[in-house]
Amino acid sequence: MTAAVRKASFALTGRLHKLGIFNDADLLLHLPMRYEDETRLTPIRALASGVSQQVEGEVEHAEITFRPRRQLVARLRDDSGTLVLRFLNFYPAIQKMLEPGKRVRAFGEVRSGFWGEEMIHPRVLAVTAGEALPQALTPVYPATAGLAQSALRKLVGRAFERASLADLLPESLRRSLKLAGWERSLRYLHQPPTDARLGALDARSHPAWRRIKFDELLAQQISLRKAYVERRAHAAAQLHPQGILTARLIEALPFALTGAQRRAVDEIARDIAQPYPMQRLLQGDVGSGKTIVAALAMLQAAENGLQAALMAPTEILAEQHYRKLAGWLQPLGLEVAWLSGSQKKRERAAMLEKIATGEALLVVGTHALIEETVALEKLGLAVVDEQHRFGVRQRLALREKVCGRLPHMLMMSATPIPRTLAMSYMADLDVSVLDELPPGRTPIVTKLVADARRDEVIERVRDACREGRQAYWVCPLIEESETLQLQTAVETFETLRAELAELKVGLVHGRLKPAEKAEVMDAFLRNEVQVLVATTVIEVGVDVPNASLMVIEHAERFGLSQLHQLRGRVGRGAAASSCVLVYAQPLSQNGRERLKAIYETTDGFEIARRDLHLRGPGEFIGARQSGVPLLRYADLERDVDLIEAAKQAAEEMQARFPDAAEALLARWYGGRAELLKA
Ligand code: ADP
Ligand code: MG
């Protein structure tokens, strides 16, 4: 291998890893997300909008225009009419293909544009007159930048030659469940035969899809059953409820626990008194009050003379937790230690000492907690806030702090998982749900405002602050470039500072040093800063009750859960709160649906459901990060019958065909098995 080839194949491997592909078996399970019908040509005049179709014609004209921004515009003609092809991003290769006089096929969706019918970013292919059309449907794979469909198709083809295609489902089971054969199903989906119909394939109702989905569910059930058994075989310290300090804390709180909080507290209290480790997810919408539930559990550990640690994904959040916990627990005579990456050396050393000696039973921190220098020998309970923000290894690292025994684990997440999802996904992750918000919150009013009316939004901010309230102004994530994102935030900050001269405007973004971030957040918390311009760093957990207005720019670029999380930053105090979503035209279909969903409901579960629908479960709660064997193909709502069948089959496989059960796990989780242990 030459250095260049090695480098190229290294890059390819990296891209495949990004897609969760580590070996040939993974490639076979990397199934098309949809198919395109390139077997036909549609005359330009007969194009229907809203569906992807293919046309063929001669390029009549092509030019690069600069208004409103740089783009390549070409006009294509066939016997029936002309069509505009528009490219906002394009490579020289495309430009070359679209020189006047050349013949191309274009595949895409047609819309009515300013100059009549047009396709934006169609896929184009240079052809010669009369060139044969493909005979079968074209699979479209989930891909990533730098990895072309054609390359994936080739890789999959090779995988068919190398990977095992054995049917791991015992014949008797397969028959009684009336399922299609494994190899046939795989081949059908990757390389549909010429008579395959787009409808059944896209709806995933075809028997080939059912077979894949069944195996996926079966592998999941088997792995969950194994995890359950393994967990119960581990020892953990029994943290019996002592009740004395807990009662005092509850009494001292300025509020009464909600019914949902009490239920969760009881469930956790019971679990951590068991001699095997708890594995529980505390799930509750933003603002549902998860922190106090965690504090009460931590207190139970301390009452048993063991340590409890709370790990949060950002410095801002960790510090906020530290303050809350110290406020609640120090009056009870308990020391709370605090660790963060930005801490001064001397302070850190002192904290480490307190933690090592066990003088501090309660510890709060960021990732700094899992560093090797931190000795948490007496750790009885580990709490991970916003658990989906952590990699699986990071969560596991906390567990490994203790020799011999495992600590109890409490994971917290504000990303609500629809109940059906939670139950069947997480047979080995018990779930407590806070499905009730503390009383006295006024509902948040959501407004959608077009970009052009930005001035009115600024006036709203002015009004809110004049009444003594505070506002967040969130700038969007710009995926392509962190620098651009930063630049946008800084520009917005400058503009707002000029426009709202009478107010103090602050800026917080990911490039600030932790101490600087903390300083800005502090000032905001103390109302010394009235308007906080922020990138998405504020997304998780920040609690500033006086902030009642949230402005989100380019809201159409945010994911649904993200919008929900951001909106949850307001509406935490008694004042009426609002969230203004500023969007830019034109909206994509998906963007429009996201905005509609966030506008129509504030119910986190409903939002999660729609999010799931819009994104597909594969992406849900950062699939690859979550450590839970998420489903890529089966749909828990549509495929309930398969879930039931898979549950029963899992039991039978483990009892009667343990080798096949293991092979199935290897096939589905293979190189990722490690990730699924959590
Ligand atoms: P989250 O679930 O988003 O982490 P927090 O734990 O930050 O929510 O709680 C949000 C706010 O609600 C905090 O200010 C907290 O003190 C307060 N809170 C929690 N439980 C209650 C309750 N039962 N009644 C009133 N306020 C509560
Ligand atoms: Mg929280």
Side-chain angles (χ1 to χ4, degrees):
M1 236 195 269
T2 67
V5 169
R6 207 174 307 128
K7 199 167 157 200
S9 85
F10 189 68
L12 175 65
T13 309
R15 286 176 194 135
L16 289 172
H17 285 186
K18 243 185 171 172
L19 294 171
I21 299 173
F22 296 86
N23 53 36
D24 285 323
D26 291 341
L27 268 169
L28 291 184
L29 291 178
H30 191 67
L31 291 167
M33 43 181 185
R34 57 191 168 83
Y35 299 84
E36 282 175 353
D37 188 354
E38 292 173 311
T39 62
R40 284 178 294 178
L41 293 176
T42 307
I44 286 175
R45 218 184 38 200
L47 283 173
S49 63
V51 276
S52 293
Q53 287 163 312
Q54 182 171 239
V55 298
E56 183 178 314
E58 199 166 283
V59 179
E60 205 173 58
H61 175 85
E63 66 176 328
I64 294 176
T65 63
F66 288 89
R67 245 168 241 164
R69 54 182 275 200
R70 185 169 179 268
Q71 49 186 288
L72 172 63
V73 182
R75 198 165 61 237
L76 193 70
R77 172 177 288 286
D78 72 1
D79 295 340
S80 72
T82 63
L83 173 72
V84 170
L85 310 179
R86 183 186 302 280
F87 298 84
L88 300 174
N89 301 303
F90 53 92
Y91 295 103
I94 297 252
Q95 225 174 312
K96 201 123 194 254
M97 237 185 265
L98 293 174
E99 279 165 4
K102 297 227 165 134
R103 191 164 191 82
V104 293
R105 278 184 198 148
F107 187 93
E109 224 178 276
V110 70
R111 312 195 221 181
S112 320
F114 188 74
W115 284 283
E117 303 284 270
E118 62 177 29
M119 277 185 189
I120 299 179
H121 285 266
R123 201 171 59 235
V124 289
L125 181 71
V127 288
T128 52
E131 189 165 319
L133 287 159
Q135 290 299 300
L137 295 175
T138 315
V140 182
Y141 291 102
T144 182
L147 189 55
Q149 290 294 331
S150 54
L152 270 168
R153 257 173 252 148
K154 230 177 270 162
L155 288 166
V156 170
R158 271 221 316 260
F160 267 111
E161 287 158 24
R162 299 198 297 218
S164 156
L165 294 161
D167 200 324
L168 298 172
L169 193 60
E171 184 64 16
S172 56
L173 260 174
R174 187 177 76 74
R175 285 255 178 89
S176 68
L177 292 164
K178 296 197 177 63
L179 290 165
W182 178 251
E183 179 177 349
R184 238 182 95 199
S185 301
L186 272 186
R187 287 201 189 275
Y188 194 96
L189 297 178
H190 281 294
Q191 299 152 352
T194 45
D195 63 348
R197 301 286 297 275
L198 200 56
L201 278 180
D202 272 355
R204 301 202 169 176
S205 55
H206 190 277
W209 269 124
R210 273 182 73 79
R211 175 59 206 268
I212 305 290
K213 294 199 265 191
F214 178 82
D215 276 38
E216 176 177 46
L217 290 164
L218 182 61
Q220 184 190 50
Q221 290 300 330
I222 294 173
S223 86
L224 292 172
R225 290 172 63 90
K226 278 183 66 166
Y228 180 85
V229 172
E230 269 167 33
R231 174 158 65 91
R232 302 224 161 187
H234 281 293
Q238 289 182 270
L239 307 173
H240 296 288
Q242 306 294 327
I244 303 162
L245 293 180
T246 359
R248 272 176 53 195
L249 172 55
I250 290 176
E251 207 160 291
L253 287 177
F255 50 77
L257 295 182
T258 63
Q261 282 172 320
R262 265 185 281 124
R263 273 194 301 281
V265 168
D266 288 347
E267 283 162 356
I268 296 165
R270 203 166 357 111
D271 271 11
I272 62 182
Q274 301 299 322
Y276 50 84
M278 168 176 82
Q279 190 135 281
R280 188 171 276 279
L281 177 69
L282 174 61
Q283 198 197 311
D285 212 345
V286 273
S288 59
K290 295 184 287 293
T291 320
I292 184 65
V293 176
L296 284 163
M298 293 172 79
L299 189 51
Q300 189 167 325
E303 281 189 304
N304 283 275
L306 288 185
Q307 287 176 313
L310 168 59
M311 180 163 77
T314 66
E315 297 251 342
I316 293 176
L317 201 54
E319 180 162 6
Q320 188 180 288
H321 281 329
Y322 166 66
R323 285 209 198 129
K324 278 214 170 131
L325 257 62
W328 286 328
L329 302 173
Q330 269 167 0
L332 303 176
L334 287 168
E335 181 104 30
V336 184
W338 151 249
L339 277 180
S340 86
S342 63
Q343 216 159 21
K344 298 230 166 62
K345 262 210 180 114
R346 178 129 34 94
E347 189 188 349
R348 183 179 165 81
M351 289 295 174
L352 284 177
E353 172 80 20
K354 276 188 188 170
I355 296 168
T357 58
E359 184 188 338
L361 289 181
L362 302 163
V363 188
V364 181
T366 56
H367 304 80
L369 278 182
I370 53 182
E371 281 164 24
E372 262 174 48
T373 48
V374 185
L376 278 165
E377 263 298 318
K378 289 180 21 174
L379 189 64
L381 169 70
V383 184
V384 182
D385 193 18
E386 309 289 348
Q387 57 101 16
H388 57 284
R389 287 301 181 108
F390 290 98
V392 180
R393 293 219 165 70
Q394 292 172 316
R395 275 180 284 156
L396 290 184
L398 256 186
R399 271 193 353 195
E400 279 149 18
K401 293 273 174 194
V402 201
C403 278
R405 288 188 301 203
L406 286 181
H408 298 281
M409 294 285 293
L410 177 65
M411 267 91 70
M412 306 203 282
S413 174
T415 305
I417 303 167
R419 238 160 297 227
T420 49
L421 202 65
M423 284 187 316
S424 44
Y425 267 154
M426 302 175 178
D428 191 45
L429 187 64
D430 298 304
V431 184
S432 295
V433 182
L434 299 184
D435 51 5
E436 183 184 350
L437 286 184
R441 304 262 167 89
T442 38
I444 306 166
V445 176
T446 303
K447 293 223 155 67
L448 293 172
V449 178
D451 217 1
R453 287 167 51 202
R454 209 161 173 268
D455 288 351
E456 291 169 39
V457 179
I458 295 178
E459 283 317 303
R460 262 189 101 95
V461 171
R462 195 194 308 280
D463 288 346
C465 295
R466 201 178 275 150
E467 287 167 18
R469 306 268 143 224
Q470 290 165 272
Y472 293 100
W473 189 294
V474 179
C475 306
L477 181 74
I478 299 172
E479 291 229 326
E480 309 89 72
S481 154
E482 202 190 333
T483 314
L484 202 58
Q485 172 173 333
L486 186 63
Q487 194 184 327
T488 317
V490 171
E491 275 167 23
T492 309
F493 169 66
E494 295 297 348
T495 319
L496 288 180
R497 202 156 61 155
E499 298 248 3
L500 300 167
E502 76 275 25
L503 299 173
K504 186 105 174 48
V505 183
L507 172 65
V508 58
H509 56 74
R511 290 264 184 94
L512 288 184
K513 294 213 182 75
E516 296 169 327
K517 250 189 249 176
E519 202 174 305
V520 183
M521 289 311 297
D522 255 3
F524 191 57
L525 191 60
R526 289 194 305 262
N527 199 0
E528 282 157 23
V529 160
Q530 281 87 48
V531 183
L532 184 65
V533 177
T535 52
T536 40
V537 293
I538 61 149
E539 187 190 338
V540 281
V542 183
D543 190 21
V544 181
N546 192 48
S548 67
L549 177 61
M550 164 72 59
V551 179
I552 305 176
E553 273 202 276
H554 279 294
E556 77 282 356
R557 290 192 197 163
F558 289 85
L560 199 43
S561 304
Q562 217 177 3
L563 287 174
H564 180 64
Q565 290 267 314
L566 284 169
R567 181 169 61 183
R569 299 302 115 223
V570 295
R572 306 195 139 222
S577 297
S578 48
C579 175
V580 179
L581 303 173
V582 184
Y583 63 90
Q585 304 271 22
L587 287 174
S588 68
Q589 178 66 20
N590 196 284
R592 191 184 305 277
E593 275 178 44
R594 263 178 284 133
L595 292 182
K596 184 164 174 286
I598 198 80
Y599 176 75
E600 284 177 351
T601 174
T602 51
D603 175 356
F605 284 100
E606 174 60 19
I607 285 175
R609 214 181 52 74
R610 296 213 200 173
D611 198 26
L612 183 68
H613 180 74
L614 283 172
R615 289 199 297 173
E619 286 237 9
F620 209 63
I621 45 176
R624 253 156 243 126
Q625 286 267 302
S626 70
V628 184
L630 285 177
L631 297 170
R632 292 145 73 187
Y633 305 119
D635 179 309
L636 291 165
E637 275 174 38
R638 269 199 314 243
D639 302 319
V640 256
D641 58 323
L642 286 179
I643 297 175
E644 266 319 305
K647 270 192 189 147
Q648 285 172 23
E651 203 178 329
E652 191 172 338
M653 292 262 302
Q654 277 188 307
R656 294 181 45 212
F657 310 99
D659 293 346
E662 284 303 314
L664 194 79
L665 287 183
R667 171 174 283 171
W668 281 89
Y669 304 133
R672 285 163 292 170
E674 190 48 30
L675 299 181
L676 296 168
K677 276 199 192 144

